[in-house]
Each structure stands twice: as C-alpha cells, then as structure tokens.
Amino acid sequence: MMMMMMSRKHLIKAPVLLLGLVLVAIFAVVKNEIPTPLLYRTLRGEAKYYSTDVFIPPSLDVDSQRLLSLDLGGGSCKWQPPKYNVPEELDLHKTLIAGFPSGDKRMIYVQMEALTGWPAKDEWDFEFSGMSNHPFIKANYPHHEGIWGWGNAADQVVLMIRSIRRSMVEYHDILWDIGYAADWESASLLLDDLYAERPPQEDFLVWRDLRALEEAHWYGWFIDYWMEGGLMRDMFTHKITTPEHWNMIMMPGVYTIAELDYDLVVGPNTIVTPSYDPHCAYDEVTSGCTPVAVISAEKLRDYTEGPAETAKIAKVLLKDDRTG
C-alpha cells in the first residue's frame, strides 16, 4: 500500500439533527487549528482535551436522538464517536472522500461522522477486510498509495485540497511512522506507531530530495483526475494518454519512470483519443467521478471562511435523504 523508501525502527448518524448547533461545534474544533493545526498537534500528542456532560432536550424524537459533538464554550468541546457497526440492511447514500495522501481528508470525514453518527472506512480496509455498509469512504486513489477497493459502493465524490507544502511534509511523516512500508500488510502491522513521534528532519530531507519533485507531479495529476471525471492523463507530462499507458501507470513499483516515459510508450506525435478510467466510465460512482464539492483544508481552519466551508460539507450530506 505504501510507497517504498528506506527502513527504520517501527514505522497507519442517520438524519442531520440540530445542524446549526453542530456546525458551530465542528467549527469550534477546526478553528483552533490556527496557526498550528489542532488535528496535527493532537495526533502528534501535543493537544489537551476538556470533557463536559451536556443536556440533550427530551423533546427530541427518541428514534432520532444521537450523541453530538458540541461546543461547550471557552474553547472546549466534547466529541462523541459514531456508531462503528453499520447495519447492512440500511440503505445509505455513500460519499467518497478523495484527497492526496495526508491531504486532511480526516477533517471532512470526522465532520460527516459528527453530523450523521455513521463512520468512515478506508479504501484499503474495503479491499482487504471486505465490503461493508459504511457511508463514508476515505480514498487516495488514483495515487499510488491508493486502491479502488470499494467497488461500486460510492454514490458521490467530495474532493479535499490541502496546500502541497503541508501535504508533502505530513505525507512523509506518515510514511516514516510505518517504516516506508510498500504494501498494506506491512503497513497494517505498524499502525500503532502512527503519530507516536516526530521524524528526524534529516530523514525528511533525504525523502524530499529523492521523492518530492515526483510527488509534486502526482499531486497535480491527482487533482486533474477527479476534476475531469477520471480522464486518463500521464502524471509527468499531464498529456492525455492511452489505456495501455494508463494501466502501466496504475501498477506502482512495476515500471521505472524511464519505462513510463510518455514519448516511449505513447509516442511524441501520437494523436490520443480521450479515454476515462473504467471505474468512472462504467458508472461505479452513481453520480460520476466529478466531485459534487471541493473542500479547502486551509479554509476550514480559517476564522472567517471556516463556517462556510463546514456548511459545504453538511450540504453534501443533504443531497440525499438516505444520509441527510
């Protein structure tokens, strides 16, 4: 699952109720990520939590009641986890949350979990642990760290965009946490090491010099893929490419960069008929691969723009009564 590099020690609710209140609550969490992201500090073990019991009016319909993530004032909040076991008989409208590795997809799906009470699941868990009825799917696909593991379960796509600079740093840090593992099995053995400590700067610099420029190409290519509904492009030239070349690109570790050279495989003067990833061409996402919303990680953290960006996430869920 993970891109290889070097080795080190151990390097992985039903209806939307009280929407306005919940949005305030979520933004109360998100806005505290300025200037040092709360999520980043939390995962790296530097944040403090405050928990207070709150009163939920009994006038709410019993069948609709759920635990909420609430703003308690004074910078404190209480987050309640979703129901992790999703009944298979429920007909849920499912959202794919796509983003570059370490692109803050978590900021979207934890808010969706808070708004609905239902959990998210990673693409690799769908692939290796089996299909389930989780309504929120976290994905790095088509990046080489991702896999289309959810079959045709997704109904719509939301794309998360985070600054390339922060994405690269955190991408490396997670790779370091899991020993630069190159496959799902190896990475899964080291998930307990995620966010346990900060990588040495020298390790990042080695990875940066070796991988950062290539990953910058993957970053732009990843955005193009989703915004163009799965159009096949070469990640280095960004030219429209052939299915043959695309299939080679989608086999990380099998071919070298030289072997994937566009002019070598496709030809410098070849007129290429646009083709789409079969996953998108054959409607494996009900409403298509083009995102129904694009969310900015930086806006989510901003005091002024954060509430509107959070509302965009809620509106995505309201597109279908089965989840909204």
Side-chain angles (χ1 to χ4, degrees):
M1 169 180 101
M2 300 295 168
M3 195 67 187
M4 58 188 165
M5 230 286 296
M6 34 186 172
S7 58
R8 73 162 186 101
K9 82 169 188 66
H10 293 299
L11 208 134
I12 189 143
K13 289 181 179 184
V16 178
L17 301 176
L18 304 178
L19 180 56
L21 180 60
V22 177
L23 293 180
V24 172
I26 294 168
F27 182 59
V29 176
V30 174
K31 73 176 184 179
N32 286 328
E33 293 195 286
I34 306 170
T36 304
L38 174 62
L39 178 59
Y40 185 80
R41 289 186 285 117
T42 299
L43 295 178
R44 295 285 162 185
E46 298 178 15
K48 296 180 180 179
Y49 290 102
Y50 303 90
S51 180
T52 302
D53 289 330
V54 296
F55 174 71
I56 304 247
S59 58
L60 292 178
D61 180 74
V62 174
D63 293 332
S64 301
Q65 287 188 23
R66 62 174 179 83
L67 296 174
L68 302 174
S69 301
L70 297 176
D71 179 11
L72 305 177
S76 300
C77 64
K78 184 176 183 177
W79 180 84
Q80 299 291 348
K83 300 176 182 177
Y84 290 111
N85 296 318
V86 186
E88 291 297 323
E89 65 271 16
L90 292 181
D91 181 17
L92 297 173
H93 189 251
K94 299 176 181 179
T95 301
L96 176 71
I97 305 153
F100 190 83
S102 302
D104 271 346
K105 295 179 290 295
R106 182 186 304 266
M107 291 181 68
I108 295 180
Y109 77 71
V110 296
Q111 297 190 45
M112 289 183 170
E113 289 179 336
L115 286 166
T116 68
W118 297 116
K121 184 175 177 178
D122 187 83
E123 60 193 338
W124 288 94
D125 291 328
F126 275 99
E127 178 71 14
F128 286 95
S129 299
M131 297 298 291
S132 61
N133 202 24
H134 288 64
F136 310 125
I137 306 164
K138 169 182 170 287
N140 295 321
Y141 185 91
H143 188 274
H144 56 77
E145 300 287 3
I147 187 171
W148 193 291
W150 60 91
N152 62 353
D155 292 304
Q156 61 183 3
V157 177
V158 173
L159 180 62
M160 178 59 141
I161 301 295
R162 184 188 191 187
S163 76
I164 188 171
R165 179 170 176 262
R166 285 306 315 164
S167 292
M168 292 298 171
V169 173
E170 183 64 13
Y171 176 31
H172 164 264
D173 290 356
I174 290 179
L175 287 177
W176 185 89
D177 287 342
I178 57 174
Y180 303 96
D183 56 77
W184 182 86
E185 291 86 350
S186 301
S188 64
L189 296 175
L190 300 170
L191 293 181
D192 289 342
D193 288 348
L194 281 172
Y195 313 111
E197 55 183 309
R198 291 183 181 275
Q201 185 179 34
E202 54 267 28
D203 285 4
F204 168 74
L205 295 177
V206 171
W207 179 88
R208 180 200 64 183
D209 294 344
L210 181 65
R211 293 290 312 161
L213 287 179
E214 292 179 11
E215 290 297 338
H217 283 289
W218 283 90
Y219 179 93
W221 172 85
F222 180 94
I223 296 174
D224 286 343
Y225 172 88
W226 289 110
M227 294 305 297
E228 295 179 318
L231 181 64
M232 296 180 181
R233 288 185 181 273
D234 171 46
M235 84 283 288
F236 293 113
T237 65
H238 297 278
K239 294 179 179 179
I240 295 175
T241 194
T242 63
E244 175 191 7
H245 189 217
W246 174 265
N247 291 335
M248 294 172 65
I249 291 171
M250 298 308 291
M251 300 174 66
V254 176
Y255 300 97
T256 65
I257 293 177
E259 290 172 325
L260 290 173
D261 181 78
Y262 186 89
D263 289 348
L264 175 65
V265 179
V266 180
N269 300 314
T270 302
I271 298 175
V272 180
T273 301
S275 300
Y276 289 82
D277 184 340
H279 293 301
C280 299
Y282 299 138
D283 299 324
E284 292 188 25
V285 179
T286 306
S287 64
C289 286
T290 304
V292 298
V294 178
I295 306 299
S296 164
E298 283 67 39
K299 286 185 177 181
L300 274 175
R301 294 191 179 97
D302 184 83
Y303 282 101
T304 302
E305 298 184 279
E309 204 70 7
T310 299
K312 286 171 60 176
I313 297 174
K315 289 178 181 178
V316 165
L317 301 179
L318 291 172
K319 287 181 176 291
D320 193 288
D321 291 341
R322 289 174 291 169
T323 301

